Amino acid sequence: MFKTLDSAVPVACWSCSIGHNDSTLFCPHCSKIQPPPGGDYFSVFGLKPRLELDLSALEQEFHRLSRKLHPDRFARALVNEKEWSLADTALLNDAYRTLKDPLRRTEYLLKLEGAEIGEEHSGKDRVDPSRVPADLLEEVFDLNMQLEEMRMARKIGDEDSALEASLAEAKEKFSGLLKAVDEDLRAEWRAWDEGNELARQASQKRMVALLDRRHYLSNLVRDVTETLGA
Amino acid sequence: MAEGRVVGIDLGTTNSLVAYMQGDTPVVIPGVDGSNLVPSVVALDPIAAAGGRPTVTVGNSARKALIETPERVIYSVKRLMGRGLGEIQEELKLFPFHLADDIEEGEVPRIRLGELKFTPPEISAYVLRQLKRNAERFFGEPVTQAVITVPAYFNDAQRQATKDAGRMAGLDVLRLVNEPTAAALAYGLDHAKVGTIAVYDLGGGTFDVSILKLRDGIFEVQSTNGDTHLGGDDIDNLLLAIALDEIHAEHGVDLRGNPGAVQVLRKAAIEAKISLSTESAAHFDMELPNGDRYQREIPRAVFEMLIEPVLERTAGPCKQALKDAGLTPEQIDEVVLVGGSTRIPAVRQLVDDLFHLKARGKKPQIELNPDEVVALGAAVQADILAGASKTTEEMLLLDVTPLSLGIEALGGAVARIIQRNSTIPASATEHFTTGVDGQTNVAIHVVQGERELAADCRSLARFDLKGIPPMSAGLPRIEVKFLIDADGILQVRAREQRSGLAAEIEVKATYGLTDEQVESMILDSFDHAEEDFAKRLLIEARNEAETILAAVDRAPESPAWRQLSPEEQAAIHAARGRLAAIKQGEDAAAIRNATLALDQATRRFAELMMEAAVSTAIRGKTMDAAGNDMGDDVTAPHAMAPAEFK
């Protein structure tokens, strides 16, 4: 029932029978909708994999394709056209959702390139002490102590404004570090987009590390925010 | 298949409507009584033909039966759609309905109505069939395709139940559209085509908020949030509970066991609520069974204090929707108000505060009738789906899924595979494998919701992936594709990749009817046979004529009859004679017109009858007997001390 995403065999159009390259949403000859094409999310938008994207152009293309592909346009079409409209639109939406978000886009591209990245979606993981970035080890240790203290104080109904202030300060600091990571990532985007094969390999490695650090920091900031807000 | 019209239907908690595109304007189709709103009330006719099944009435006539034969009437059934046994029992604490006593675990609960039992989709199907008939009468041709609206925050089971109801009513449901989005479509037709809008929809039983970006005819939902247990019903129940408590405390009369009286009080509570939107105070005044009078003034300030906790519950979803869309209140260009409850001034004040409207010199959008705007939007979407219309050819709605989809991982945690507010259709592909050598089955539990533990989320379905070729543990690679379609309903497919075999999957929805069950519940099969259409119109017209003639013939026995003037009585007689003469003819439209004329002539009489029924229900002993099996289930939704009322 499903095509695997890596197939790139030429196929014949179901409607006009003329053969065409697999990675197309519409038959180049008769313009009829086709089953979901192979290829990655970038190719849905006619792009080569890259990290710096013109988001407004991406949105325009998303709207243009939506108008042609959406199931609303096929409410009274043939059963198979309905089916493909649904599958193609799902692909388009998945692709747009992934590419418009800088982090999802970066993770997606790195996975396409074969990098191993921690799964973001597996539940709401707490800060894993074994993955603390080395330069933060000491501060994170202190912070975790304070968080624990805060939670205990909250539990027994104590107010500790000094502790609260210190946590707020820590939050500020780690949020700043998070911003710095984002800036570093942005710099890597250009390095990857414009680099040769060798430069890309190196950039990928740095991005994987940055994403790990980012993941760690954002969990930390969230924990502090939650504890303060509780 | 004939490409007939597509109508738009708002299947509401309190009222339902059907609308269509008349040229470039959406228009609501009135019922035979001239009213645009069909109350979502279904009653079993008490005068059943000997041996036959009782007939079912829908709408205003069914609402009248609420007071006369409350045990044969059901309303607000939308609150029960797609819900499991446990949830329904919770819900029924607020309503005087009873479950059938032979329901088994995992079955779709059935509600007792007189001597019969119905599932919630069957009840909704009766409402839908009435709307379908209204549309067919209006067009003089069959209507088989429809767009039906649902609360944006409806989950998979509630959506499926709504689609099932459509099928039972003989409708091909081309699309389920979210109510706030439909409202945005209705507004977007003739408003600025660029901007960001929020739709605040507080209906009879549900609350939704959606934030949309409009651009070049594309309506792109950014985020949605809500509460499917929050609406005008809650305010009614609050007032009702207080009145019941006060009557009990001050007059020693417990009306909770008297369903007719409870309905009279409910009606008074609703009237009080409505009048408080324009008046500074409302009054309860009614005679009690012991001859006392229950009199109470409710100043608006007290009312507002009372409902504040209910209204405050809409603030959280609004803030979350803004946050999910990554927007501040200032970035919302317009706020559209939908649903009858948004007529309450305190609601408008809250919306003003939430979106900082007054500070920016703005007001909530209320130009379109909040009771009709959803149906009008459904008609716009119907026109989009039908295609080939200049007005809507540039319009496209991109909606989102309101709840995250996840699968239960080891230890009961949820692995999210499709995040809430993802544009639909949306899909996710996951890979599963075996844990034991030679294992041929893998079980998957799919849930919907935002909580971290599967047990706290809404269970959607359990799948059994079967027929996996026996291999060493961990070797099979089963690809499962989860797809949320444009109706917001989940579809699942699976394939074993190593062997290339399509693994057979058995999807057992946690809640809901099987295809066979739905098939067996389809109402009157002749409903969708076109050749019978003219015949059916005639039969229906004659049936309506018979019903009203029988009622008019009994009229002189009623004390209310004597309150009519001789002129009024003569007018009724004349209209009765005309209808009786025309009834045997073949002209359905003429019969209908004569029926309508008789209905008009008897309007004041019907009002007098209603008043009499109301006071009988309050005072009468007969109703007490009928209410004995009601038990004490009608309880206050929120504990509220009478003192707070003074």
Side-chain angles (χ1 to χ4, degrees), chain B residues 2-120:
Chain B
E3 304 240 313
R5 294 169 187 281
V6 188
V7 293
I9 291 177
D10 172 6
L11 181 60
T13 307
T14 318
N15 293 303
S16 296
L17 303 88
V18 56
Y20 81 112
M21 274 305 253
Q22 188 179 60
D24 55 6
T25 317
V27 176
V28 178
I29 299 171
V32 72
D33 59 356
S35 160
N36 280 356
L37 304 182
V38 173
S40 307
V41 183
V42 173
L44 273 187
D45 201 330
I47 15 171
R53 274 170 75 98
T55 46
V56 172
T57 54
V58 176
N60 276 314
S61 48
R63 198 160 64 171
K64 285 175 194 157
L66 260 179
I67 289 163
E68 292 160 17
T69 55
E71 73 289 350
R72 305 180 73 87
V73 187
I74 183 161
Y75 58 92
S76 292
V77 75
K78 189 173 179 179
R79 289 197 149 198
L80 311 181
M81 293 284 274
R83 298 195 181 273
L85 192 55
E87 295 167 304
I88 280 198
Q89 273 161 345
E90 199 51 42
E91 199 73 29
L92 285 184
K93 285 184 183 160
L94 306 178
F95 295 98
F97 314 132
H98 285 261
L99 286 172
D101 32 30
D102 57 347
I103 300 166
E104 285 168 34
E105 196 55 49
E107 244 186 334
V108 173
R110 278 162 295 145
I111 311 295
R112 234 163 52 202
L113 200 57
E115 55 279 6
L116 301 179
K117 299 160 197 161
F118 297 93
T119 60

Side-chain angles (χ1 to χ4, degrees), chain B residues 430-465:
Chain B
E430 291 288 312
H431 294 96
F432 298 87
T433 190
T434 51
V436 180
D437 288 348
Q439 188 180 338
T440 56
N441 277 19
V442 171
I444 301 170
H445 185 204
V446 184
V447 298
Q448 208 169 18
E450 311 309 321
R451 304 281 297 274
E452 288 173 50
L453 291 179
D456 296 327
C457 287
R458 166 72 189 221
S459 173
L460 266 195
R462 291 177 190 274
F463 305 158
D464 235 348
L465 300 176

Side-chain angles (χ1 to χ4, degrees), chain B residues 390-423:
Chain B
K390 267 266 167 280
T391 316
T392 58
E393 69 179 357
E394 288 300 312
M395 294 174 79
L396 180 66
L397 180 55
L398 301 177
D399 219 319
V400 301
T401 180
L403 300 160
S404 298
L405 189 77
I407 40 188
E408 182 171 348
L410 281 178
V414 176
R416 295 226 170 84
I417 55 174
I418 297 178
Q419 300 286 344
R420 70 162 183 263
N421 295 322
S422 293
T423 305

Side-chain angles (χ1 to χ4, degrees), chain A residues 2 4 59-60 62-63 66-67 70-73 76 83 86 89-90 93-94 97 121 123-124, chain B residues 4 6 145 175 213 215-216 218 220 381 385 393-395 414 416 422 424-425 427 452 481 493 495:
Chain A
F2 292 110
T4 41
E59 186 189 34
Q60 268 181 29
F62 170 63
H63 285 169
S66 291
R67 281 185 203 276
H70 197 275
D72 282 6
R73 296 283 182 253
R76 286 171 160 181
E83 185 83 5
L86 178 59
T89 310
N93 289 340
D94 297 344
R97 186 165 53 250
H121 71 228
K124 197 178 180 185
Chain B
V6 188
Q145 295 188 312
R175 177 78 72 251
K213 232 162 80 182
R215 187 176 165 178
D216 305 329
I218 293 203
E220 195 178 347
Q381 177 68 10
L385 293 181
E393 69 179 357
E394 288 300 312
M395 294 174 79
V414 176
R416 295 226 170 84
S422 293
I424 53 173
S427 68
E452 288 173 50
K481 182 145 185 167
R493 283 166 208 170
R495 198 174 71 135

Side-chain angles (χ1 to χ4, degrees), chain B residues 557-568:
Chain B
E557 298 159 24
S558 154
W561 181 257
R562 289 190 292 279
Q563 290 176 253
L564 294 176
S565 70
E567 292 76 29
E568 285 170 323

